[in-house]
Amino acid sequence: MMRADLLAGTVDGLDEALAAVDAFDEVLVGGLLRPQPAQAAGLAGLADAVAGTPLAARAAEAAAKAAAGAAGEDHFTALAAARAALLGSVHDALMARVGEATGRPRGEAGSGPVTSGGEPSANLLTAARSWLSDLARCGWRGIDHEVVAGSAQVVSAMLPDPALRRLATLLDGFAAELAACCPGAALERVPVRRWADLWSRAMLLTLPGGAAGGAPAGTATGRLLPLGVDLQEHATAVQAQVHAVFEPADGSASRLVRAAVSAPKPDTVVGAGLWQLLRPRMALLAAVGEGRSMELTGMPVTAGGDLLWSDEHARAGEPADAFATARVALPAAADPVTAPLDRHPACIAVPVFLEGYAVGQEEKVGETQGESESGGGVTFTVAGQPLSVDTDRIPVAGPLTPEAVAASAACIGLLRWDDGVFSVQPLAVERSVRKRTVAVHAGAWAGGTADKAGAKAEKAAAAAVAVLRERAGRLLRK
């Protein structure tokens, strides 16, 4: 039984660390071309927060230079590193609390990634860092189309290089968000934390070795037992991330791993049709839909537990029920070590299994009178402690619904942390239907479906994709 009560307690120093991050993030709203006294205070607060770390001297110098309006690229990089270090400490404190609550072992850090080539072009990394520095100077309120367009040539030059594609994708998406909000002076609301996250992460990826953070650290040979699928959809892209327990063939301790597949998508492909874009790229999705394990042979894996999936290193295995895996194998599986750049509270997504809970409704505050009323989100009361359930993350590309979650007796989910509280994102639930226990999975349609609603959505998506391909063919012929 998970100790949900441990998730509700306060974490020493967490509020102070987040306050320092928030103050620095506000500095980026106004920009550092002509810093104001309030911005100087935010910079000093960030430097003070890392005063007892190896970053102390560099952060203090960078804060002083930025407050004087004389910061260079190295100073902005130091500020991004200090911010990342603070959020990393918050992540580590929260993960320590999660480890106490789940009782699972933590994996051991490896020797580091194995790189298979030279460093990416230093000139392109420098150009990216220069553009990000310009953003910091003008601030989110000062952005315009001319400033944002400065990333276009850099992104175009990076995309052909696989070693730089991670950074190029981040810069491209970041620039697209900024362009959609230009001019910044007219914005009613600035996504302060999000843009600061994207800026600081991109800045650190421009450092030597940063862009190659997803390199393999070894290989995995053994049995893969899927737990569930987290489907993430955006306007132009979709990603499915499979969470699973890996049992090494050499008999060593089992551990949690992830395998992800992404694809670009047109905005006309939605719902269950998304699986058509992903299915051909990863045989694991078919295994998840069929409730099967996978046998891996020499599958590349990063130090952070991410399988760099290739179908040639995998074959379908025996039937494997996800709830049996959650009950028997999950409690002994070690949590992966988090990659340095992923040490951020928003990246917390820890597989958990819950059962024997009571289902309730959160109260929400009325918008007009400030009175409590029913109709809020679902909660699970685990060992006497309420735990919020994030039903908004349930994808429409599967049979799992908030109603099924509310009627459940057992749940496989991802433990997340947002806005000061832990919550669980359901990946699958068990519920009673006519005195029978039925499992409902968010990724049940990943390998195909005979379900009426799912089949109808897939048919519509197939028609939309066929039309788009025909139009693209005509354009290419012209």
Side-chain angles (χ1 to χ4, degrees):
M1 176 68 71
M2 187 176 75
R3 289 283 308 277
D5 58 305
L6 295 176
L7 301 178
T10 59
V11 178
D12 291 341
L14 185 143
D15 290 341
E16 292 81 359
L18 290 176
V21 170
D22 289 340
F24 174 74
D25 291 354
E26 287 295 333
V27 170
L28 293 177
V29 174
L32 288 164
L33 189 60
R34 298 179 181 85
Q36 302 299 310
Q39 292 172 292
L43 291 164
L46 180 69
D48 290 344
V50 296
T53 74
L55 287 171
R58 295 192 65 182
E61 178 188 353
K65 289 288 187 179
E73 293 176 12
D74 289 346
H75 301 121
F76 289 128
T77 303
L79 293 173
R83 183 184 184 277
L86 277 181
L87 287 171
S89 69
V90 171
H91 169 277
D92 292 350
L94 292 171
M95 285 301 297
R97 186 61 57 89
V98 170
E100 293 174 5
T102 62
R104 289 202 301 263
R106 288 286 290 169
E108 296 182 1
S111 58
V114 178
T115 56
S116 56
E119 283 292 327
S121 171
N123 290 338
L124 289 177
L125 295 177
T126 300
R129 196 156 52 246
S130 176
W131 178 70
L132 291 164
S133 297
D134 288 343
L135 286 183
R137 292 187 182 97
C138 70
W140 313 134
R141 287 294 184 191
I143 58 172
D144 56 30
H145 288 291
E146 183 179 353
V147 172
V148 175
S151 67
Q153 288 186 332
V154 180
V155 171
S156 297
M158 284 183 170
L159 283 173
D161 186 348
L164 289 173
R165 203 161 290 157
R166 181 188 191 196
L167 175 58
T169 302
L170 173 56
L171 293 176
D172 191 35
F174 188 21
E177 280 195 30
L178 294 174
C181 296
C182 285
L187 276 177
E188 292 185 8
R189 179 177 174 273
V190 176
V192 179
R193 175 66 66 81
R194 174 174 174 78
W195 285 358
D197 280 343
L198 294 174
W199 176 84
S200 58
R201 184 178 181 88
M203 184 66 81
L204 295 178
L205 282 173
T206 66
L207 296 176
T219 59
T221 298
R223 185 169 67 157
L224 190 71
L225 301 169
L227 290 165
V229 184
D230 178 20
L231 187 67
Q232 302 167 12
E233 180 185 358
H234 299 277
T236 58
V238 61
Q239 180 186 72
Q241 188 176 60
V242 180
H243 292 261
V245 174
F246 173 65
E247 297 180 335
D250 62 7
S252 57
S254 62
R255 62 185 189 271
L256 285 165
V257 295
R258 298 171 297 268
V261 58
S262 305
K265 82 172 193 69
D267 55 10
T268 53
V269 178
V270 295
L274 297 173
W275 298 117
Q276 289 188 1
L277 304 177
L278 299 169
R279 205 175 289 142
R281 300 165 181 254
M282 180 186 272
L284 177 58
L285 295 179
V288 170
E290 296 169 2
R292 289 185 173 276
S293 64
M294 292 288 280
E295 297 294 333
L296 308 184
T297 304
M299 182 73 73
V301 61
T302 70
D306 288 297
L307 299 172
L308 304 182
W309 191 268
S310 173
D311 282 349
E312 64 185 39
H313 294 287
R315 60 180 176 84
E318 297 297 318
D321 178 70
F323 279 92
T325 298
R327 287 185 169 96
V328 178
L330 179 59
D335 290 322
V337 175
T338 307
L341 283 183
D342 292 336
R343 292 174 56 246
H344 188 294
C347 293
I348 293 175
V350 181
V352 293
F353 174 65
L354 306 171
E355 65 179 339
Y357 49 77
V359 180
Q361 290 282 331
E362 286 180 325
E363 289 188 344
K364 67 178 182 180
V365 178
E367 294 183 0
T368 56
Q369 299 178 350
E371 297 176 356
S372 295
E373 56 185 48
S374 61
V378 176
T379 63
F380 292 161
T381 300
V382 182
Q385 181 64 43
L387 182 63
S388 179
V389 181
D390 192 351
T391 54
D392 290 339
R393 285 183 177 264
I394 298 176
V396 296
L400 186 62
T401 63
E403 291 74 24
V405 173
S408 67
C411 174
I412 300 171
L414 298 177
L415 194 63
R416 295 186 177 276
W417 188 88
D418 184 43
D419 199 22
V421 296
F422 282 99
S423 64
V424 63
Q425 172 194 342
L427 299 181
V429 299
E430 282 185 339
R431 60 180 298 191
S432 180
V433 178
R434 297 176 183 175
K435 297 183 179 180
R436 291 176 56 246
T437 299
V438 176
V440 187
H441 296 261
W445 299 346
T449 177
D451 180 276
K452 273 189 177 182
K456 183 178 179 181
E458 289 233 20
K459 185 177 179 180
V465 171
V467 170
L468 289 168
R469 283 176 178 162
E470 192 274 334
R471 289 177 180 173
R474 276 189 293 172
L475 287 171
L476 289 172
R477 286 193 295 272
K478 290 181 180 179

